[in-house]
Amino acid sequence: MNVQPVLVTGVGGGVGGVGGTVVDRLRAAGVPVRALVHHDDERAAPLRAMKDVDVIVGDLTRGPDVVRALEGCRRAYFGMSVSPAYLEAATTVAAAARREGGLELLVNMSQMTVSQMDLTGEEESRQQRMHWLAEQVLDWSGVPVVHVRPTVFMENPLFARIAVASILRDGTIRLPFGSARTSPVSARDVADVVACLLLDPVPRTGRVYELTGERSRDMAAVAAEFSAALGRPVTYVDVPYEEWLERDLKGLDLPPHVFDHIATMARLHGRNRYDRVTDDVAGLLGRPPRGFDSLVEDTPALRAG
């Protein structure tokens, strides 16, 4: 692989910190990184202290910022937190990459719902529709792109905040999923896949990778996984959707766009839209995906409780 820097966006935030982990993986492989951060704050300071990391402050919706970030890069990762500006950012990245030329690979962070969507779908959240449209734009741009589509991160608020809170409170997982099945994937596994693709000497342009956990199971089985990892009983409580919105989700005080997205994910879970399993993680990384025991390990409050 060439020694030109790899552009990594979304380094300063996002569920599970995928961008930051990708930076770590690339540095461990001896590849220089250009890290694009939105704010020059305390999250950018550790990046500036890292060897072979060039930190650029910019806005993904501003063409001049994206052009400056891409200059001299042959490979790039585009990922962005849930945001009303997501489609504008994706389109700006596509236009800048097309204008600059010379990019041999762009890894785009999408999501699994796109695999089940088309232009006429009306069940999905605005964020999910923007992911579908962003894939269309990137494909139309002619930029050499690979789409990565995780199901749902284990670090999503559905699990890492709402489920963790009720486990700590009374040993239950309160979600409106009914008997539906799901296959959450660890953000670290997703970051490892992104890094693997960026480090591949032969770009896999045009490919789509659908990333899931090792198996799909209902929430009773997920609760059993938490029980085994914690060494104490955890049970699943199926909560009516509207009650859950009022009692659990609204308490997180999320911005309206994020609230709509998480609420839609919960509703689609109940309709079994996340009952998906692929071997793409194992095929790329040579090991099985992580389970919920990894979320327990990364959540000190659970271990202490």
Side-chain angles (χ1 to χ4, degrees):
M1 182 176 173
N2 62 66
V3 294
Q4 291 171 291
V6 175
L7 174 63
V8 179
T9 70
V11 177
V15 173
V18 171
T21 304
V22 171
V23 170
D24 293 339
R25 300 295 187 265
L26 295 177
R27 290 183 64 244
V31 175
V33 176
R34 180 169 297 152
L36 179 64
V37 298
H38 195 192
H39 301 288
D40 195 0
D41 55 20
E42 69 280 357
R43 293 172 295 181
L47 290 167
R48 294 188 186 282
M50 292 179 181
K51 182 181 178 181
D52 294 328
V53 176
D54 174 25
V55 178
I56 290 184
V57 180
D59 186 332
L60 283 167
T61 66
R62 293 192 70 254
D65 291 353
V66 179
V67 168
R68 180 165 54 96
L70 279 171
E71 185 177 359
C73 295
R74 299 286 290 173
R75 299 188 179 200
Y77 161 66
F78 170 62
M80 184 179 180
S81 300
V82 175
S83 167
Y86 176 83
L87 183 57
E88 182 180 1
T91 304
T92 303
V93 168
R98 180 174 181 173
R99 168 185 154 163
E100 291 301 293
L103 199 67
E104 65 180 23
L105 180 65
L106 173 66
V107 178
N108 170 50
M109 179 62 66
S110 187
Q111 56 183 286
M112 183 72 83
T113 44
V114 171
S115 304
Q116 305 163 311
M117 292 172 63
D118 60 28
L119 187 60
T120 61
E122 296 181 336
E123 288 190 327
E124 294 81 13
S125 71
R126 181 184 175 204
Q127 181 70 30
Q128 289 165 334
R129 292 194 298 275
M130 288 194 292
H131 272 280
W132 187 89
L133 289 168
E135 285 200 19
Q136 311 304 306
V137 169
L138 286 164
D139 290 341
W140 296 337
S141 73
V143 172
V145 63
V146 168
H147 301 296
V148 175
R149 299 175 181 169
T151 42
V152 53
F153 288 165
M154 292 179 185
E155 296 80 1
N156 185 282
L158 289 168
F159 303 107
R161 294 183 65 181
I162 294 175
V164 165
S166 58
I167 290 172
L168 291 171
R169 185 173 60 246
D170 57 15
T172 65
I173 296 176
R174 291 173 46 85
L175 288 169
F177 292 3
S179 60
R181 303 164 71 88
T182 186
S183 57
V185 62
S186 163
R188 279 187 290 165
D189 284 343
V190 175
D192 286 348
V193 164
V194 171
C196 174
L197 295 170
L198 290 170
L199 293 168
D200 193 333
V202 181
R204 304 169 186 242
T205 301
R207 297 287 299 274
V208 172
Y209 292 96
E210 299 183 331
L211 309 184
T212 74
E214 187 171 17
R215 62 194 181 95
S216 185
R217 63 282 204 203
D218 62 20
M219 288 305 300
V222 170
E225 290 179 41
F226 275 99
S227 296
L230 291 168
R232 60 181 187 271
V234 176
T235 58
Y236 172 57
V237 177
D238 182 36
V239 185
Y241 180 73
E242 295 298 332
E243 176 185 329
W244 177 81
L245 288 180
E246 290 295 325
R247 177 175 171 177
D248 295 275
L249 190 59
K250 286 188 177 179
L252 298 184
D253 196 26
L254 300 170
H257 180 80
V258 180
F259 179 92
D260 170 69
H261 181 55
I262 302 300
T264 301
M265 293 180 73
R267 176 168 49 78
L268 294 182
H269 261 96
R271 296 179 183 178
N272 223 33
R273 287 279 294 274
Y274 290 83
D275 182 16
R276 304 290 299 277
V277 179
T278 76
D279 61 2
D280 283 355
V281 171
L284 287 167
L285 303 181
R287 60 165 177 79
R290 294 175 172 90
F292 272 106
D293 55 335
S294 67
L295 180 62
V296 171
E297 292 171 7
D298 295 338
T299 310
L302 280 177
R303 300 198 309 274

